[in-house]
Amino acid sequence: MENRYRLLIETDDQKGLIHTVSGILLQHGLNIEQNSEFVEKESNRFFMRTEVSGVVSEGAALVDELQSTLGQSAQIRLQRQRKKRVVILVTKEHHCIGDLLLRHRYNEMEFEIAAVVGNYDHLADLVEGFGIAYHHVSHEGHTRESHEAALVAAIAPYEPEYLVLAKYMRILTPDFVARYENRIINIHHSFLPAFIGANPYRQAYDRGVKIIGATAHFVTNDLDEGPIIAQSILPVDHTHSAVEMARAGKDVEKQVLSKALRLVFDDRVFIHGNRTIIFE
Amino acid sequence: MENRYRLLIETDDQKGLIHTVSGILLQHGLNIEQNSEFVEKESNRFFMRTEVSGVVSEGAALVDELQSTLGQSAQIRLQRQRKKRVVILVTKEHHCIGDLLLRHRYNEMEFEIAAVVGNYDHLADLVEGFGIAYHHVSHEGHTRESHEAALVAAIAPYEPEYLVLAKYMRILTPDFVARYENRIINIHHSFLPAFIGANPYRQAYDRGVKIIGATAHFVTNDLDEGPIIAQSILPVDHTHSAVEMARAGKDVEKQVLSKALRLVFDDRVFIHGNRTIIFE
Amino acid sequence: MENRYRLLIETDDQKGLIHTVSGILLQHGLNIEQNSEFVEKESNRFFMRTEVSGVVSEGAALVDELQSTLGQSAQIRLQRQRKKRVVILVTKEHHCIGDLLLRHRYNEMEFEIAAVVGNYDHLADLVEGFGIAYHHVSHEGHTRESHEAALVAAIAPYEPEYLVLAKYMRILTPDFVARYENRIINIHHSFLPAFIGANPYRQAYDRGVKIIGATAHFVTNDLDEGPIIAQSILPVDHTHSAVEMARAGKDVEKQVLSKALRLVFDDRVFIHGNRTIIFE
Amino acid sequence: MENRYRLLIETDDQKGLIHTVSGILLQHGLNIEQNSEFVEKESNRFFMRTEVSGVVSEGAALVDELQSTLGQSAQIRLQRQRKKRVVILVTKEHHCIGDLLLRHRYNEMEFEIAAVVGNYDHLADLVEGFGIAYHHVSHEGHTRESHEAALVAAIAPYEPEYLVLAKYMRILTPDFVARYENRIINIHHSFLPAFIGANPYRQAYDRGVKIIGATAHFVTNDLDEGPIIAQSILPVDHTHSAVEMARAGKDVEKQVLSKALRLVFDDRVFIHGNRTIIFE
């Protein structure tokens, strides 16, 4: 049965890598549909994303052969094209989750929303109206630790590949982040690294900027400091109050989040230190 | 002799301001060609920019009448449409000064470049080739104070209305800034307030941003903190090294600087605390 | 009871108009919250949009006074700030209607969706899931005239102020357009006037453009020729097939449509011949 | 002596192409610095651009081996990285030529301006001030044929690789275009294919568009119909007269032209029918 696969390779750069890898793919009878490479000069690392079509009867054999040929410095992922299983976390704002629910319903992205978890119940009706399970896990009356334990209890049964913070407005502990390392994607409502932290639109208003933005990034333990996946901006002027900036910013936020998720779910993103290599 | 004037009024907001001002202009036989108003709600200040055509035989009389009618909280400027006299400061980079020299030669903006002052002589040939005086005022072997004294000695005879820092890479002292308060315009090579200070493109690379930018702003004593006039951006990706970001950024820098200068020279910019009100 | 109103005036330009109008508003005890004017030089027409707050006990009296003062060339609209009643027409595509349903549910725009009418039933579930009436008015087996008669029968009871064509893919007759003159807004999936007519993304692909776009405009009898309200664009390259351009274009289409509707529903748009004057 | 080369290959698609080509490069001791491929599905053509470093002692031998291996359908170009020799044609407008002269003076692009030819003498001083030869070849009193003969007489001695029409406002004959097939680059002052022909800003004003643009393209015999290299846009509104659109558009024109030239001079552009494949 012919399928389409994404092969992602990261390794120390050396002469002949493309020839070597393409030779192995050829031997396995796979056809290269799309191919992108990049060498990051400062670290001398080679990144390659290849879309192949064909029959991979023994996925592990292909990966094993690549691994033994390229050596220990190589990290190799082989992914069949399929929907990623996702749990989305929300607080009260509807615009990002609403956009994702519509895209999910009409198969606009390669993802399966397994469930939505919110620390308020404001969005339960919206989510359930789309036939998706909504878990209300309130933080009120809880320590951060006990709340996160409840979150994990709600999330874990779905075995998500990715967590999406669609305007989830609470800070996560290092333990929680470690549990889903490199698999949590957040939308921050500013053009990072400007206006880190709370109330970025108010900060933007006070600074008098002429452009506002939004940033989708992987979550690490440093607040708003994880690897950036996508950013976009919107011009503003003196007629925008902080509240109007926030309103206008919502449209950018949902665009940036969906763009970033599309890149991640299409297996186009490498994390390299605190930066991303993205083959669009 | 019929001319065109810009009337800029800033005052505490109150009912009937537009009616009052438009009545005085009518009495003086002036025709409103273009009119913009804005009320900044947090400070309750009213801003108005009016382009009028007609004969203002006694400019002071019009301003006096407006002032006595609007009261002491009002700040009133009346400017005949004419070229602003400007001195430009540079270091070694050619892209912003080159763009301004071309625009000056072909009357693309309302300014007269009286002279260019550089702390290196790299750009002397270019500037003089456009028939503009170039003063080389080296900072080498000087204290900051003695260098600035030499700068002032070079600049002052031209009696500039504005100083333009077209990639002038040295920090100015509070004394120097005070001498040209609200009249120094700088181009900063980042999307402020991100990446304040030295080497912003290196900072942007290290942070892994997907968008870089440039900011034109008035210079105050707080480095890179003055009121922003204009900003623009450029998408980048992992293939851009810090050097390539810097190269790509040059085009944005010169666009943003010329846009900001056009706004200032057309008397479209109010400074309001650390923000600008701009009637484009 | 204090309300907020939008006063829209269009008249032949003459000296003193702002003074005259602001005087009448002052006499009626109304406070100008926001004011914009523009003189279109080629036709010598004056356009003014004023947001006023206060009590308009006799709306007609104010309008009558303005009309008798400004004369017969003046067109005057006074609108209390309120939601516009809208019927939306769709065919099969979900992205624009989905976006509008979300914005409606969360009061993001000043409109009330009275009903959705589709020539297929594909979108009935989505629309009804948001608690909005869906009318399936198939065109199959109908002449254009009998289909439009059925459309009118479905639409008319709602007495809509505006019709929104949210990817309604059928051409409307002059009779239908005349019935809702200047009140039908369409989203066209190209950067008009490029690629008029059917299959614009295929046309764009064949022409090899590097940018695609979308255009929201009022509908007139000339296909894709009505006054443009808003446009936006998206960069594309050789890797985009016509199908991928169409997919990417959907995001721009829904952004442009919602931007245009916001402008119209906020009473910011004048139609002037085949152009629009918009006070943003 | 180690150099950097660009290898551009276009051929019918088949399995194993990347492996084959990379193998030949490896045998010749060349290192792949950057590599991009694309398969155009409709025509089943494979495009590849590879930057290699190393010593190509027998350039022809490498190309010959590739040609004999890939077969007759393959078109192969091998270019050492070096400045392209260019003649620029102008009429009266300064903004594009001014920008190019500055970039040339400071080595911002890989090109050598051999000469500038204008059908007026307006720009002679500017060009000669940059130390570049200016030829005034007036069209007045000439038939199109005799004028072009004079143009060719002025251009031919420079043996240019590319002709750049930097706001050259006259139509070229098929004979002239054929002489420099696929080597003439024009900047058109609209967002093609909208507003083909004369006075596009006036057309844009009359149509009431909210965005204007510029297009850089290869010149073919169909006016404004050649393969597009780059496009960019600028938002406008009702306050822009046709004249103001033209003024604002100049900045976009020079940006788009320099962007397109950079792509061409870096050997990043394939012409494929009436479209371009560009590896940025």
Side-chain angles (χ1 to χ4, degrees):
Chain A
M1 197 183 62
E2 179 143 326
N3 274 309
R4 198 177 263 246
Y5 297 82
R6 288 93 179 243
L7 175 66
L8 283 83
I9 297 175
E10 175 189 342
T11 187
D12 291 342
D13 191 30
Q14 53 186 287
K15 239 186 193 178
L17 276 173
I18 298 173
H19 188 63
T20 301
V21 172
S22 59
I24 293 174
L25 295 175
L26 205 58
Q27 286 173 343
H28 283 252
L30 296 168
N31 194 30
I32 297 179
E33 299 284 346
Q34 202 179 84
N35 191 44
S36 309
E37 312 101 23
F38 176 68
V39 177
E40 210 284 304
K41 295 288 182 189
E42 298 199 2
S43 59
N44 201 39
R45 289 289 275 181
F46 170 90
F47 298 84
M48 182 172 182
R49 178 188 185 276
T50 308
E51 285 200 18
V52 296
S53 57
V55 184
V56 179
S57 52
E58 309 149 280
L62 174 60
V63 171
D64 286 352
E65 186 174 345
L66 285 163
Q67 189 78 61
S68 67
T69 307
L70 298 177
Q72 294 219 333
S73 86
Q75 295 174 18
I76 298 162
R77 282 185 281 164
L78 182 70
Q79 289 266 5
R80 187 161 53 77
Q81 183 178 334
R82 55 168 183 73
K83 292 187 179 178
K84 306 294 191 290
R85 200 169 50 259
V86 170
V87 168
I88 301 178
L89 276 69
V90 297
T91 294
K92 290 178 179 173
E93 287 176 275
H94 68 277
H95 55 288
C96 286
I97 182 66
D99 185 63
L100 294 177
L101 288 166
L102 280 171
R103 291 182 193 273
H104 180 255
R105 174 169 181 151
Y106 291 102
N107 291 306
E108 288 186 28
M109 296 202 304
E110 288 188 3
F111 74 147
E112 185 65 41
I113 303 180
V116 176
V117 178
N119 58 323
Y120 288 90
D121 63 358
H122 291 58
L123 297 165
D125 285 356
L126 176 72
V127 171
E128 289 166 0
F130 279 85
I132 307 284
Y134 187 88
H135 297 266
H136 177 201
V137 181
S138 175
H139 61 282
E140 287 178 43
H142 285 275
T143 63
R144 187 170 301 276
E145 286 67 29
S146 72
H147 180 238
E148 282 196 356
L151 276 185
V152 169
I155 295 166
Y158 294 105
E159 297 184 344
E161 294 168 272
Y162 292 98
L163 293 189
V164 176
L165 310 186
K167 305 291 291 177
Y168 181 71
M169 304 307 279
R170 291 178 59 80
I171 294 171
L172 298 166
T173 67
D175 275 1
F176 189 97
V177 172
R179 184 182 287 264
Y180 298 100
E181 192 183 359
N182 293 342
R183 291 158 54 203
I184 311 178
I185 295 142
N186 183 44
I187 178 71
H188 181 79
H189 43 317
S190 93
F191 183 75
L192 289 175
F195 311 130
I196 288 173
N199 218 341
Y201 290 117
R202 181 71 222 181
Q203 292 182 57
Y205 176 86
D206 288 341
R207 182 61 189 89
V209 293
K210 299 301 184 188
I211 292 177
I212 57 173
T215 304
H217 62 99
F218 289 105
V219 174
T220 59
N221 288 325
D222 298 311
L223 179 66
D224 302 335
E225 293 284 355
I228 292 170
I229 308 164
Q231 300 187 290
S232 189
I233 59 98
L234 191 71
V236 291
D237 62 26
H238 62 272
T239 65
H240 289 80
S241 66
V243 168
E244 285 160 341
M245 283 186 188
R247 185 194 66 67
K250 287 183 203 306
D251 280 352
V252 177
E253 292 167 20
K254 68 188 187 192
Q255 291 160 26
V256 171
L257 179 58
S258 72
K259 181 184 173 189
L261 293 180
R262 187 183 302 276
L263 294 169
V264 170
F265 299 158
D266 286 358
D267 301 304
R268 297 183 179 279
V269 181
F270 288 85
I271 297 177
H272 180 51
N274 204 42
R275 310 175 70 241
T276 56
I277 313 289
I278 301 180
F279 295 117
E280 287 193 56
Chain B
M1 197 184 62
E2 180 142 326
N3 275 308
R4 198 178 262 247
Y5 296 83
R6 288 92 179 244
L7 175 66
L8 283 83
I9 296 175
E10 174 189 343
T11 187
D12 290 344
D13 190 30
Q14 52 185 289
K15 239 187 193 176
L17 275 173
I18 297 173
H19 188 62
T20 301
V21 172
S22 59
I24 292 173
L25 294 175
L26 204 58
Q27 284 173 344
H28 283 252
L30 296 167
N31 194 31
I32 296 178
E33 299 285 345
Q34 204 181 80
N35 191 44
S36 308
E37 312 100 25
F38 175 67
V39 176
E40 209 285 305
K41 295 289 184 189
E42 298 199 2
S43 58
N44 200 41
R45 289 290 276 180
F46 170 90
F47 298 85
M48 181 171 184
R49 179 189 185 275
T50 308
E51 285 199 19
V52 294
S53 56
V55 184
V56 179
S57 51
E58 309 150 279
L62 174 61
V63 172
D64 285 352
E65 185 174 345
L66 286 163
Q67 189 78 61
S68 68
T69 306
L70 299 176
Q72 294 219 332
S73 86
Q75 294 174 18
I76 298 162
R77 281 187 281 164
L78 182 70
Q79 290 267 5
R80 188 161 51 78
Q81 182 177 335
R82 56 170 184 71
K83 292 186 177 178
K84 304 296 191 290
R85 200 169 49 259
V86 170
V87 168
I88 301 178
L89 275 69
V90 298
T91 294
K92 289 178 180 175
E93 287 176 276
H94 68 278
H95 55 289
C96 286
I97 181 67
D99 185 63
L100 294 178
L101 288 167
L102 281 171
R103 291 182 193 274
H104 180 254
R105 174 171 180 148
Y106 291 102
N107 291 306
E108 287 187 28
M109 296 203 305
E110 289 188 3
F111 74 146
E112 186 65 41
I113 303 181
V116 176
V117 178
N119 58 323
Y120 288 92
D121 64 358
H122 291 57
L123 297 165
D125 285 355
L126 176 72
V127 171
E128 289 167 359
F130 279 86
I132 308 283
Y134 187 88
H135 297 265
H136 177 202
V137 181
S138 175
H139 62 281
E140 287 178 42
H142 285 275
T143 63
R144 187 172 300 276
E145 285 68 29
S146 71
H147 181 238
E148 282 196 354
L151 276 185
V152 168
I155 295 167
Y158 295 105
E159 298 187 341
E161 295 168 273
Y162 291 98
L163 294 189
V164 176
L165 310 186
K167 304 293 289 177
Y168 180 70
M169 304 307 279
R170 291 177 60 78
I171 294 171
L172 298 167
T173 66
D175 275 0
F176 188 97
V177 172
R179 183 182 288 264
Y180 299 100
E181 192 183 0
N182 292 342
R183 290 157 53 202
I184 310 177
I185 295 142
N186 183 46
I187 177 72
H188 182 79
H189 44 317
S190 93
F191 184 75
L192 288 176
F195 311 130
I196 287 173
N199 219 340
Y201 290 117
R202 181 71 222 182
Q203 293 182 56
Y205 176 85
D206 288 341
R207 182 59 190 89
V209 291
K210 299 301 184 189
I211 291 177
I212 57 172
T215 304
H217 62 98
F218 289 104
V219 174
T220 59
N221 288 324
D222 299 311
L223 181 64
D224 302 336
E225 292 285 357
I228 292 170
I229 307 164
Q231 300 188 288
S232 189
I233 59 99
L234 191 71
V236 292
D237 62 26
H238 63 272
T239 66
H240 289 80
S241 67
V243 169
E244 286 160 339
M245 282 187 189
R247 186 194 64 68
K250 287 185 204 304
D251 280 352
V252 178
E253 292 167 19
K254 67 188 186 192
Q255 291 160 27
V256 170
L257 180 58
S258 73
K259 181 184 173 189
L261 293 180
R262 188 184 300 279
L263 294 169
V264 170
F265 299 158
D266 286 357
D267 301 305
R268 296 182 179 280
V269 181
F270 289 84
I271 297 178
H272 180 52
N274 203 43
R275 310 175 71 241
T276 56
I277 313 290
I278 301 181
F279 295 117
E280 288 193 55
Chain C
M1 197 184 62
E2 181 144 326
N3 275 309
R4 198 178 261 247
Y5 296 82
R6 288 92 179 243
L7 176 66
L8 283 84
I9 297 175
E10 176 190 341
T11 187
D12 291 343
D13 191 29
Q14 51 185 289
K15 238 187 194 177
L17 276 173
I18 297 172
H19 188 64
T20 301
V21 172
S22 59
I24 293 172
L25 295 174
L26 205 57
Q27 284 173 344
H28 283 251
L30 296 167
N31 195 31
I32 296 178
E33 299 284 345
Q34 203 181 83
N35 192 44
S36 308
E37 312 100 25
F38 176 68
V39 176
E40 210 284 303
K41 296 288 183 189
E42 299 199 1
S43 59
N44 199 41
R45 289 289 276 180
F46 170 90
F47 297 84
M48 182 171 183
R49 178 190 186 274
T50 308
E51 286 201 17
V52 295
S53 58
V55 184
V56 179
S57 51
E58 308 150 279
L62 173 61
V63 172
D64 286 353
E65 186 175 345
L66 286 164
Q67 190 78 61
S68 68
T69 306
L70 298 176
Q72 294 218 335
S73 87
Q75 295 175 17
I76 297 162
R77 282 187 282 163
L78 181 70
Q79 289 266 4
R80 188 161 52 78
Q81 184 178 333
R82 55 169 183 72
K83 293 187 177 179
K84 305 296 191 290
R85 199 169 50 258
V86 170
V87 168
I88 301 178
L89 275 70
V90 297
T91 293
K92 289 178 179 175
E93 287 176 276
H94 68 278
H95 55 290
C96 287
I97 182 66
D99 184 63
L100 294 177
L101 288 166
L102 281 172
R103 291 182 192 273
H104 180 255
R105 174 171 179 148
Y106 291 102
N107 291 306
E108 286 186 29
M109 296 202 306
E110 289 188 2
F111 74 146
E112 186 65 41
I113 304 180
V116 176
V117 178
N119 58 323
Y120 288 91
D121 65 358
H122 291 59
L123 297 165
D125 285 355
L126 176 71
V127 171
E128 289 166 1
F130 279 86
I132 308 283
Y134 187 89
H135 298 263
H136 176 200
V137 181
S138 175
H139 61 280
E140 287 179 43
H142 285 274
T143 63
R144 188 172 299 276
E145 285 67 29
S146 71
H147 181 237
E148 281 195 357
L151 276 186
V152 168
I155 294 168
Y158 294 105
E159 298 186 342
E161 294 167 273
Y162 292 98
L163 294 189
V164 176
L165 310 186
K167 305 292 289 177
Y168 181 71
M169 304 307 280
R170 290 178 60 80
I171 294 171
L172 298 166
T173 66
D175 275 359
F176 189 97
V177 171
R179 184 183 288 266
Y180 299 100
E181 192 183 0
N182 293 342
R183 291 157 53 202
I184 311 178
I185 295 144
N186 183 45
I187 178 72
H188 181 80
H189 44 319
S190 93
F191 183 76
L192 289 175
F195 311 129
I196 288 173
N199 220 340
Y201 290 117
R202 182 68 223 182
Q203 293 182 56
Y205 176 85
D206 289 340
R207 181 60 190 89
V209 292
K210 300 301 184 188
I211 291 177
I212 56 172
T215 303
H217 63 98
F218 289 105
V219 174
T220 59
N221 287 325
D222 298 311
L223 180 65
D224 301 335
E225 293 284 357
I228 292 170
I229 307 165
Q231 300 188 290
S232 189
I233 59 98
L234 191 71
V236 291
D237 62 27
H238 62 273
T239 65
H240 289 80
S241 67
V243 169
E244 285 159 340
M245 283 187 190
R247 185 195 64 68
K250 287 184 203 306
D251 281 351
V252 177
E253 292 167 19
K254 68 188 186 191
Q255 291 160 27
V256 171
L257 180 58
S258 73
K259 181 185 173 187
L261 293 180
R262 188 184 301 278
L263 293 169
V264 170
F265 298 159
D266 287 358
D267 301 305
R268 297 183 178 279
V269 181
F270 289 85
I271 297 178
H272 180 52
N274 204 42
R275 310 175 70 242
T276 56
I277 313 289
I278 301 181
F279 295 116
E280 287 193 54
Chain D
M1 197 183 61
E2 181 142 327
N3 275 309
R4 197 177 263 248
Y5 296 83
R6 288 92 181 243
L7 176 66
L8 283 83
I9 296 174
E10 175 189 342
T11 188
D12 291 342
D13 191 31
Q14 51 186 290
K15 240 187 195 178
L17 277 173
I18 297 173
H19 188 63
T20 301
V21 173
S22 59
I24 292 174
L25 295 175
L26 204 57
Q27 285 173 344
H28 284 251
L30 297 167
N31 194 32
I32 296 179
E33 299 286 345
Q34 204 180 82
N35 191 44
S36 308
E37 313 100 26
F38 176 68
V39 177
E40 210 283 306
K41 295 289 183 188
E42 299 200 1
S43 58
N44 200 40
R45 289 290 275 182
F46 170 89
F47 299 84
M48 181 172 184
R49 178 189 185 275
T50 309
E51 285 199 18
V52 295
S53 57
V55 184
V56 178
S57 51
E58 309 152 279
L62 174 61
V63 171
D64 285 353
E65 186 174 346
L66 286 163
Q67 189 78 62
S68 68
T69 307
L70 298 177
Q72 294 219 332
S73 87
Q75 295 174 18
I76 298 162
R77 282 186 281 163
L78 182 70
Q79 290 267 3
R80 187 162 53 78
Q81 183 178 334
R82 56 168 184 74
K83 292 187 178 179
K84 305 295 192 289
R85 200 169 49 259
V86 170
V87 168
I88 302 178
L89 275 70
V90 298
T91 295
K92 289 179 179 174
E93 288 177 275
H94 69 278
H95 56 288
C96 287
I97 182 65
D99 185 62
L100 294 177
L101 288 167
L102 281 171
R103 292 182 192 274
H104 180 255
R105 174 170 181 150
Y106 290 102
N107 291 306
E108 287 187 29
M109 296 203 304
E110 288 187 4
F111 73 147
E112 186 64 41
I113 304 180
V116 176
V117 178
N119 57 324
Y120 289 90
D121 63 359
H122 291 58
L123 297 165
D125 284 354
L126 176 71
V127 171
E128 289 167 0
F130 278 86
I132 307 283
Y134 187 89
H135 298 265
H136 177 200
V137 181
S138 175
H139 61 281
E140 287 178 43
H142 285 274
T143 63
R144 187 171 300 277
E145 286 66 28
S146 71
H147 180 238
E148 282 195 356
L151 276 186
V152 169
I155 295 167
Y158 294 105
E159 297 185 344
E161 294 168 273
Y162 290 98
L163 293 189
V164 176
L165 310 186
K167 303 294 289 179
Y168 181 71
M169 304 307 280
R170 290 178 60 80
I171 294 172
L172 298 166
T173 66
D175 275 359
F176 188 96
V177 172
R179 184 181 288 264
Y180 299 101
E181 192 182 1
N182 292 343
R183 291 157 54 202
I184 311 177
I185 296 142
N186 182 46
I187 178 71
H188 181 79
H189 43 317
S190 93
F191 183 77
L192 289 175
F195 311 129
I196 288 173
N199 219 339
Y201 290 117
R202 180 71 222 183
Q203 292 182 56
Y205 176 86
D206 288 341
R207 182 61 189 89
V209 292
K210 300 302 185 187
I211 291 177
I212 57 172
T215 304
H217 63 99
F218 289 106
V219 174
T220 60
N221 289 324
D222 298 311
L223 179 65
D224 302 336
E225 293 285 355
I228 292 170
I229 308 164
Q231 301 187 288
S232 188
I233 60 97
L234 190 71
V236 291
D237 62 27
H238 63 272
T239 66
H240 289 80
S241 65
V243 169
E244 286 161 339
M245 283 187 188
R247 185 194 64 67
K250 287 184 203 306
D251 280 352
V252 177
E253 292 167 20
K254 68 187 187 192
Q255 291 160 26
V256 170
L257 179 58
S258 72
K259 182 184 173 188
L261 293 180
R262 187 184 301 279
L263 294 168
V264 171
F265 298 158
D266 286 358
D267 301 305
R268 297 183 177 279
V269 181
F270 289 85
I271 297 178
H272 180 51
N274 203 41
R275 309 176 71 241
T276 57
I277 313 289
I278 301 180
F279 295 117
E280 288 193 55

